Amino acid sequence: MSMTAEPIDATDRYVGDRLSELRREMGLNLSELARTSAISIAELSAIEAGRGKVYSATLWRLCRALHADLDDVLPPRDLTVSGRA
């Protein structure tokens, strides 16, 4: 049984951008946030760059490490799939 990766979409890119913004606001580098969130630097880098999907357990750990709520990183409800309001 082979597993195929899901395609990256506008929501993934939005979440990655928000995580990067929050990390920088807290003065953390990739290594510090990755270690605190128990994920690899490569995975975090890919998520922030919009090249990787972020799944619920990982997102929850990242939000905890950033002292952020899920609402702080998820797109607003009125944001369309294309990434434009």
Side-chain angles (χ1 to χ4, degrees), residues 33-46:
L33 180 55
R35 184 178 57 250
T36 307
S37 303
I39 66 171
S40 72
I41 295 170
E43 181 180 5
L44 177 56
S45 178

Side-chain angles (χ1 to χ4, degrees), residues 6-80:
E6 294 179 53
I8 305 303
D9 62 22
T11 300
D12 298 310
R13 288 186 293 276
Y14 182 94
V15 169
D17 286 345
R18 286 294 298 139
L19 290 169
S20 178
E21 289 171 14
L22 291 168
R23 176 181 60 77
R24 290 175 184 180
E25 286 174 11
M26 288 198 63
L28 299 172
N29 63 37
L30 282 170
S31 178
E32 292 166 330
L33 180 55
R35 184 178 57 250
T36 307
S37 303
I39 66 171
S40 72
I41 295 170
E43 181 180 5
L44 177 56
S45 178
I47 290 167
E48 286 191 1
R51 295 186 320 266
K53 290 202 88 58
V54 60
Y55 295 97
S56 58
T58 302
L59 182 58
W60 183 82
R61 289 195 313 268
L62 287 165
C63 285
R64 296 263 316 203
L66 293 167
H67 306 286
D69 293 323
L70 288 174
D71 287 342
D72 296 330
V73 297
L74 295 176
R77 293 176 195 257
D78 60 349
L79 192 69
T80 62

